[in-house]
Amino acid sequence: QVQLVESGGGLVQAGGSLRLSCEASGISFSYFTMRWYRQVPGKQRELVAAITSGGSTNYKDSMKGRFTISRDNAKNTVYLQMNSLEPEDTAVYFCNVPRLDGLDYWGKGTLVTVSS
């Protein structure tokens, strides 16, 4: 079975940093694009960053320069390094694996809370 497990969330002061991890199992990890999304209750889930199997990255404009997505295929893990965090970054962050059939895989999320 496919499983995505996020970790690394927590409470941090504005201006601080966190590194989120997502460990994948049950898939041929190195072949897949990996994505991070985030969601605030009552709002749409939004794409934060993506990294392809070849290592190409893409970011939401507001994240550029602050967030960095990376992957370690040997560990089946994708990371999201978050710097200069702001209260507006508070959300549940989800790991996502897109599929061509549209039936994406999702983790259960890890909560990031940024205090002012």
Side-chain angles (χ1 to χ4, degrees):
Q1 61 182 15
V2 176
Q3 188 173 27
L4 305 175
V5 180
E6 303 98 333
S7 62
L11 175 64
V12 64
Q13 294 269 19
S17 299
L18 287 172
R19 189 176 78 156
L20 307 183
S21 299
C22 171
E23 184 176 5
S25 60
I27 61 171
S28 298
F29 180 83
S30 63
Y31 291 100
F32 286 87
T33 290
M34 303 293 295
R35 294 170 174 165
W36 285 99
Y37 283 77
R38 70 183 185 185
Q39 187 171 29
V40 177
K43 298 186 67 177
Q44 288 286 134
R45 189 171 298 185
E46 65 176 351
L47 178 66
V48 174
I51 184 167
T52 70
S53 61
S56 297
T57 59
N58 192 36
Y59 301 91
K60 181 179 174 67
D61 286 344
S62 62
M63 316 301 175
K64 291 180 179 178
R66 298 193 301 121
F67 290 10
T68 302
I69 188 171
S70 62
R71 67 192 297 159
D72 186 340
N73 289 341
K75 296 182 177 180
N76 289 350
T77 300
V78 62
Y79 304 96
L80 184 68
Q81 179 67 46
M82 305 186 295
N83 299 325
S84 301
L85 284 164
E86 304 167 356
E88 292 74 22
D89 296 317
T90 295
V92 177
Y93 285 72
F94 296 91
C95 185
N96 165 265
V97 179
R99 287 171 41 149
L100 293 177
D101 63 4
L103 198 61
D104 292 3
Y105 298 115
W106 293 91
K108 296 186 183 300
T110 184
L111 176 63
V112 172
T113 303
V114 184
S115 65
S116 59

